[in-house]
Amino acid sequence: MPFEPLDQYLQRKKKLAEVKALGDDPYPHKFEQSSTPAQIVAAHARSHAASFETERVNVRTAGRILTLRLHGKAGFAHIQGDGARLQLYVKLDAVGERTFRLFQLLDMGDIVGISGHLFRTKTNELTVWVDTLKLLSKALLPLPEKWHGLADVELRHRQRYVDLIVNSRVRVTFLRRAEILRGLRAFFDARGYIEVETPMMQTIAGGAAARPFITHHNTFDLDLYLRIAPELYLKRLLVGGLDRVYEINRNFRNEGVSSEHNPEFTMLEFYQAYSDYRDLMALTEELFASLAQKICGSTQVTFGEHKLDFSRWQRLSMREAIVLHWPPDAAPSPSSADLAAPGGPRAIAVRYNEWRQRQVLLPSAAPPVPLLDVSSMSDGEITGLLFETLAEPKLIQPTLLYDFPTDISPLAKCRPDDTSLVERFEVFVAGMELGNAFSELNDPEEQERRFREQVARGGEEVPREVDLDYIRALSYGLPPAAGMGIGIDRLTMLFTDSHSIREVILFPLLRPQADSNQ
RNA sequence: AGGGGCGUAGCUCAGUGGCAGAGCAGCGGCCUUUUAAGCCGUUGGUCGUGGGUUCGACCCCCACCGCCCCUACCA
């Protein structure tokens, strides 16, 4: 099917026919490279022009034509391969009439294989003096304009293949994402974890609170959920004696899309038996610091206007964070004890709302922010909401936030000294939630009680039934354990200085376009 | 979901209630060390879609579609 721009598409089809008429196959099966353009550029970056004259360096390489400058009976081109650009010089005298004719039929975007030797031009650019030239694949569609490239964000994401060709930063971002994944695997492999894969289609979407996607299996005539978390399966494996496991894979949540949310996203989850959340706090600090060092070459990472320092971590309880980030002009700020008192969070939320309403009346009023609706919430839920409203966006430097309310943590173990709190922490960096960890609740009766409460309370983000098989697994005995989930997309954002999750997902979800031919 | 912004040639972008524009890409020509190559000539438009106002709409109004930002949702 021809695509727009039609005139250029047809023009290139014509050239394709001419190439065939020359006796060349425009889509040959393979081409042996002696080295890639990137390897050639790297190996000879500092070679002098004179050295090429005394000792000839022959190369055989391939790539996509990105620039083309014809000068009558000679011409220059740049090919891009393996992430680098290499200049070619093609001269009628050197290649002969037939090959030169082929060269004249080439367009930007075509993929070619060449052989020749290296030299430096008058302007000292490393260049291949081409002896032979072969078309390896014809581009029937033109590349975007060479100065500005492809800037339209929507087009970049819809046609990521073009984005990758013309925007080198995109390539770097995704290479770095792969490095991050390798680094994570190396970190856990070295510590005796085994990598596992658990179901992504589940009959009960548990392990988190989120609206699931529904799909259907025909043979079993069975509705299934795409998983929202692997948590309950990974803990079953701990019951089975796999004491250290991790999984890196996709989760699916049928919720909003934003610069920090994509409906399918990649999570690392890992579990470690005979440990508690304090062990994971230490492990988290080590993991992030070593990964930053490995990926970015330093524990200091530039993210927008911020310099994130992964060698120094702040540890805050949720209540401390609320106190710390209470708006100064809404003084007096509450104390942690106020937040701990029964009914305290509600009273503080009311105070916050009163302050907000006064703000709206000021002449310099910012756009109105909805007041907190805490009418049907428990103290723990209100505490969580206060934290998210007041403190979360302010947590720029790496922070471990701990002491979560039990109400909002159905899978975590309570603190022995205070059952209103659980042994749980989250990782916050650059105002984003990066990770979530806790000491795993392993008392089957308490777990069942909390599940039943959850199901009874209902809501779209809660499973409709209790995962009784999980309770059965716990009944065989789950060793004391701690587990954690880390959002890989957001982690990649941090380490690539990307400010939208869509920049670190190759094909983010976009609405299909009615007219796909553009 | 609500508010705001954007949508003009393949790409990057100007534009005005009165003939639809530029650069690059494309096409033809000249050019054997150029690199944003250059010079001469030239093709290409449902101005996101559909209504409305108007003598006349790319422009003003309404609805819809898509993207971006903020808010909401999101443990």
Side-chain angles (χ1 to χ4, degrees), chain A residues 222-243:
Chain A
L222 177 67
D223 280 340
L224 290 163
Y225 298 105
L226 300 188
R227 76 176 184 195
I228 57 173
E231 168 141 358
L232 301 184
Y233 283 93
L234 293 172
K235 284 192 280 194
R236 282 172 168 95
L237 297 178
L238 260 56
V239 170
L242 302 181
D243 286 345

Side-chain angles (χ1 to χ4, degrees), chain A residues 112-389:
Chain A
V112 296
I114 58 102
S115 68
H117 61 272
L118 297 177
F119 75 108
R120 282 189 184 274
T121 61
K122 280 203 287 205
T123 54
N124 208 38
E125 178 166 352
L126 183 70
T127 303
V128 182
W129 183 284
V130 172
D131 297 323
T132 70
L133 168 72
K134 203 176 169 190
L135 178 62
L136 301 182
S137 184
K138 182 70 189 167
L140 295 174
L141 290 172
L143 293 175
E145 192 236 2
K146 62 190 170 190
W147 306 349
H148 310 89
L150 189 64
D152 184 276
V153 174
E154 182 180 353
L155 255 188
R156 284 185 46 231
H157 294 159
R158 287 191 194 280
Q159 300 185 15
R160 185 68 93 178
Y161 35 89
V162 178
D163 193 27
L164 280 162
I165 292 168
V166 299
N167 291 322
S168 60
R169 186 194 142 92
V170 175
R171 181 187 175 90
V172 170
T173 295
F174 288 102
L175 292 184
R176 189 167 276 200
R177 181 173 174 130
E179 277 178 54
I180 290 167
L181 289 169
R182 271 201 300 279
L184 288 169
R185 289 197 163 96
F187 184 91
F188 288 99
D189 291 344
R191 284 163 179 75
Y193 285 75
I194 64 162
E195 181 171 6
V196 298
E197 290 162 283
T198 62
M200 297 177 67
M201 297 193 292
Q202 305 179 346
T203 50
I204 300 173
R211 284 152 63 186
F213 287 91
I214 298 170
T215 186
H216 184 80
H217 184 263
N218 286 341
T219 304
F220 288 2
D221 189 21
L222 177 67
D223 280 340
L224 290 163
Y225 298 105
L226 300 188
R227 76 176 184 195
I228 57 173
E231 168 141 358
L232 301 184
Y233 283 93
L234 293 172
K235 284 192 280 194
R236 282 172 168 95
L237 297 178
L238 260 56
V239 170
L242 302 181
D243 286 345
R244 292 184 168 207
V245 292
Y246 73 92
E247 176 165 9
I248 298 175
N249 226 320
R250 227 68 65 79
N251 289 338
F252 306 86
R253 298 187 181 176
N254 204 340
E255 281 156 4
V257 172
S258 78
S259 56
E260 291 171 23
H261 299 83
N262 195 62
E264 56 176 315
F265 62 101
T266 302
M267 280 263 286
L268 158 69
E269 280 205 16
F270 62 93
Y271 290 83
Q272 178 169 319
Y274 310 111
S275 306
D276 71 4
Y277 78 136
R278 297 206 167 272
D279 299 310
L280 292 194
M281 285 181 154
L283 191 75
T284 298
E285 295 183 354
E286 187 186 347
L287 171 62
F288 277 74
S290 70
L291 207 56
Q293 183 70 48
K294 192 167 177 173
I295 304 299
C296 304
S298 165
T299 54
Q300 313 239 328
V301 175
T302 300
F303 186 75
E305 59 187 356
H306 302 295
K307 193 91 174 175
L308 306 172
D309 185 351
F310 288 99
S311 66
R312 296 211 317 245
W313 287 73
Q314 170 180 228
R315 292 191 185 189
L316 279 179
S317 76
M318 185 177 274
R319 287 168 186 160
E320 285 167 354
I322 294 168
V323 172
L324 195 62
H325 293 287
W326 186 260
D329 49 353
S333 59
S335 68
S336 289
D338 296 338
L339 283 159
R346 182 176 308 276
I348 288 161
V350 168
R351 257 173 64 196
Y352 172 80
N353 279 344
E354 286 166 359
W355 168 76
R356 248 280 146 244
Q357 271 168 323
R358 287 200 304 277
Q359 290 301 105
V360 174
L361 300 176
L362 294 178
S364 61
V369 173
L371 302 176
L372 303 181
D373 178 12
V374 296
S375 48
S376 62
M377 295 180 118
S378 69
D379 280 352
E381 288 169 324
I382 296 169
T383 305
L385 183 63
L386 283 168
F387 165 74
E388 283 168 26
T389 307

Side-chain angles (χ1 to χ4, degrees), chain A residues 1-11 13 140-142 515-518:
Chain A
M1 167 177 173
F3 292 92
E4 292 291 342
L6 194 59
D7 55 337
Q8 297 195 40
Y9 185 92
L10 296 175
Q11 182 61 40
K13 287 275 282 188
L140 295 174
L141 290 172
D515 177 13
S516 62
N517 182 15
Q518 52 170 284

